[in-house]
Amino acid sequence: METPHYVAARVQRALAEDERTTELGIRVDVRGEEVYLRGQVSCDERRHQIENVAREAAPGLRVHNELTLVEVREPGEEEHL
């Protein structure tokens, strides 16, 4: 069995390289047979895409999706300094 460090690196690489996600800002922790995804994403669809890619990269392990949604808005008024 691979060490947790290698599993986490494999999942992070998959999240970065898979065209569905291309995500660098997700923290991946592996404890035993469980993978934890932590970070912030802009929508629920993205949250599920990241979880799916992680499951594919770590077959046989239980994936806990702890990603939180943040509201992304257009910039407001221009700030004058």
Side-chain angles (χ1 to χ4, degrees):
M1 181 172 183
E2 287 180 290
T3 65
H5 177 75
Y6 288 124
V7 175
R10 185 175 68 238
V11 172
Q12 286 179 319
R13 182 176 179 175
L15 294 174
E17 295 180 353
D18 192 291
E19 64 185 25
R20 294 171 290 174
T21 54
T22 59
E23 181 64 62
L24 297 173
I26 302 301
R27 181 174 167 196
V28 178
D29 294 313
V30 178
R31 294 189 184 131
E33 300 288 318
E34 302 186 2
V35 177
Y36 295 85
L37 304 174
R38 296 184 177 105
Q40 297 178 334
V41 295
S42 60
C43 68
D44 201 44
E45 180 182 346
R46 184 116 176 108
R47 188 174 179 266
H48 290 295
Q49 287 173 331
I50 290 168
E51 181 180 343
N52 290 337
V53 171
R55 286 185 192 283
E56 292 170 11
L61 299 182
R62 183 172 178 196
V63 175
H64 298 273
N65 188 339
E66 297 180 354
L67 300 171
T68 57
L69 299 177
V70 292
E71 184 179 349
V72 178
R73 295 182 278 169
E74 291 293 321
E77 290 183 25
E78 183 178 325
E79 182 178 357
H80 298 281
L81 301 175

